[in-house]
């Protein structure tokens, strides 16, 4: 039961942190930062867990990750005014 409880706790901490980030940074920046977790988990999957193999598949993943990062950067520039404190 311990691994399940630790996983659930980490998941809850991540969700709570996402809510705080969105509250303080605004929708455009906070949500974009939270969605960048997909890039981090994808890198773990490629480098450590070897979930994606083959140069073609890894190249396609990096192309998609680049599109995602571009979208995150574009959304982060939509932040206007002071955030709610």
């Amino acid at each position: 039961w311990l691994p399940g409880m630790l996983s659930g706790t980490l998941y809850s901490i991540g969700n709570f942190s996402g809510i705080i980030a969105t509250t303080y940074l605004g929708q455009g920046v906070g949500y974009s930062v939270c969605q960048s977790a997909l890039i981090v988990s994808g890198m773990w999957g490629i480098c450590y867990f070897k979930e994606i193999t083959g140069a073609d598949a890894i190249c396609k993943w990096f192309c998609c990750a680049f599109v995602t990062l571009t979208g995150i950067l574009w959304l982060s520039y939509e932040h206007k005014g002071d955030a709610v404190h």
Side-chain angles (χ1 to χ4, degrees):
W1 64 271
L2 185 61
M5 185 166 172
L6 289 175
S7 298
T9 302
L10 287 175
Y11 183 77
S12 296
I13 290 170
N15 282 333
F16 184 71
S17 298
I19 291 169
I20 291 174
T22 304
T23 301
Y24 284 101
L25 298 175
Q27 290 288 330
V29 177
Y31 189 71
S32 299
V33 169
C34 294
Q35 291 305 310
S36 66
L38 293 170
I39 306 297
V40 174
S41 63
M43 289 299 296
W44 271 102
I46 290 172
C47 298
Y48 185 75
F49 294 108
K50 308 292 185 213
E51 294 174 337
I52 301 175
T53 57
D56 187 47
I58 292 173
C59 183
K60 288 178 184 177
W61 185 89
F62 275 107
C63 289
C64 293
F66 176 75
V67 170
T68 303
L69 286 174
T70 303
I72 289 169
L73 289 174
W74 281 348
L75 281 173
S76 69
Y77 286 115
E78 290 297 316
H79 182 69
K80 297 177 184 170
D82 291 330
V84 177
H85 294 283

